[in-house]
Amino acid sequence: MKEQYIKQVEKELSLPHKAKKEVVRDLNEVFASALEHGETEQQVIQRLGTPKEFADSTAEQFGIDNASSKKRKGIISALVALIVAVVAFSIYAVTRLGKAPEGAIGQADATTNIQIESALGFDVLQIILAVGFAAAVIAVLLIIRTIHKNRR
């Protein structure tokens, strides 16, 4: 129970790594001291509040707004995913734009019987397109999650 609580607090905290380690160390000391004085883990958790409440108050002591930091991370992640999607779609579009018809050689207007396969055995453009779609879906999900969290 204690380990789960501490892990959740660590997950909720938007602090630098060193500060997080300090908070985790302090929490372990709080639990150890309370247990020595006859308190149960459940009583300590009730006294400290939910992991989110504890993380928010701890971040506040460090002079950091825990909620806005998480919101900023969500927005940045969504923007990065959108940029990846746009770049992937752009690469795909640019490479397809000036292409001759499938099966044509050079600038021929008609198709031929000659088939040319890439050395890789698969179409790299299809992978780029799939990455673009995956990044777009991730971006949409991150935007929805950020909006949903901001309404609470």
Side-chain angles (χ1 to χ4, degrees), residues 88-100 125 128:
F89 291 144
S90 298
I91 290 171
Y92 183 81
V94 166
T95 55
R96 288 288 187 193
L97 200 59
K99 257 193 166 176
L125 287 179
I128 290 173

Side-chain angles (χ1 to χ4, degrees), residues 76-152:
I76 290 171
S77 298
L79 283 174
V80 168
L82 278 174
I83 290 169
V84 168
V86 167
V87 168
F89 291 144
S90 298
I91 290 171
Y92 183 81
V94 166
T95 55
R96 288 288 187 193
L97 200 59
K99 257 193 166 176
E102 193 68 39
I105 296 178
Q107 297 299 317
D109 292 335
T111 59
T112 63
N113 286 350
I114 301 172
Q115 291 186 357
I116 301 172
E117 291 187 22
S118 72
L120 300 174
F122 55 86
D123 190 3
V124 175
L125 287 179
Q126 296 300 319
I127 293 173
I128 290 173
L129 187 62
V131 166
F133 280 120
V137 168
I138 290 169
V140 168
L141 292 174
L142 287 170
I143 290 168
I144 290 170
R145 188 179 90 188
T146 302
I147 290 170
H148 179 71
K149 282 188 174 186
N150 288 339
R151 286 188 179 169
R152 286 195 258 157

